[in-house]
Amino acid sequence: MPVPGSFAVDGRDGRVGVVVGLTVGHEEAFVQLRPPGGGVLWVCPRHALRAAPPSAVLAARVRELNWQSRMP
């Protein structure tokens, strides 16, 4: 299980997200992710989650910083 606040890749579609938490379903565990910089949460089955490569983490952090710089 990745640590909340870390970056992970949803192996189903390749989206990079920030780990928010864990949800336990009826038969399977899901990881809650949010897009870098904010947005709508989505869930990914834990078995489909991959560690984000350094290049994806760097790009996600840049997106977050850009998003934060536009906030009042």
Side-chain angles (χ1 to χ4, degrees), residues 8 10 12 14 26 32 39 44 46 55-56 59 61 63-64 69:
D10 185 337
R12 299 171 300 173
H26 187 25
Q32 296 174 329
C44 174
R46 197 165 81 177
S55 60
R61 287 187 174 159
R63 276 193 303 276
E64 278 190 321
S69 71

Side-chain angles (χ1 to χ4, degrees), residues 25-72:
H26 187 25
E27 297 180 14
E28 186 174 8
F30 295 90
V31 177
Q32 296 174 329
L33 300 165
R34 73 165 173 80
V40 179
L41 291 173
W42 81 92
V43 293
C44 174
R46 197 165 81 177
H47 73 272
L49 202 65
R50 300 187 325 247
S55 60
V57 172
L58 180 60
R61 287 187 174 159
V62 168
R63 276 193 303 276
E64 278 190 321
L65 289 172
N66 285 338
W67 180 78
Q68 290 172 358
S69 71
R70 287 179 256 159
M71 300 305 291

Side-chain angles (χ1 to χ4, degrees), residues 1 3-6 17-22 31-35 41-42:
M1 171 65 188
V3 178
S6 65
V18 178
V19 176
V20 176
L22 177 69
V31 177
Q32 296 174 329
L33 300 165
R34 73 165 173 80
L41 291 173
W42 81 92

